Amino acid sequence: MRIYVKVTPRSSKNEVVQISEGEYKVKLTAAPVDGKANEALIDILSKHFRVAKSMIEIVGGKSTKTKIVDILI
């Protein structure tokens, strides 16, 4: 499954909100430094979709706020 994610780093809490089919907004407490926000995104998405972290891959937008994420289900 491919989803599009708009990430808000340095938020007050971690949260996943579905905007529409295949489109999500994710708030992260992590800062976008040294890939920490991407690691946190994979962690929170793995918990939200109940899959292993190894099943989630950021395929586009690794250095931007809008990301393309593949989730193997």
Side-chain angles (χ1 to χ4, degrees):
M1 163 171 67
R2 179 165 282 183
I3 63 171
Y4 297 89
V5 179
K6 178 159 183 178
V7 177
T8 305
R10 293 188 180 122
S11 182
S12 60
K13 62 181 177 177
N14 289 326
E15 180 180 34
V16 178
V17 178
Q18 184 171 4
I19 297 171
S20 64
E21 184 73 28
E23 190 174 353
Y24 293 82
K25 183 174 184 178
V26 179
K27 295 180 181 179
L28 301 172
T29 57
V33 178
D34 297 328
K36 298 292 183 190
N38 287 341
E39 291 174 16
L41 176 65
I42 290 172
D43 185 50
I44 194 170
L45 288 177
S46 72
K47 291 175 184 172
H48 180 78
F49 289 104
R50 295 185 178 134
V51 297
K53 292 179 191 177
S54 62
M55 305 292 279
I56 298 176
E57 181 182 4
I58 300 172
V59 294
K62 291 184 181 178
S63 61
T64 65
K65 288 184 178 184
T66 304
K67 302 183 185 302
I68 303 170
V69 179
D70 281 346
I71 302 173
L72 304 173
I73 296 179

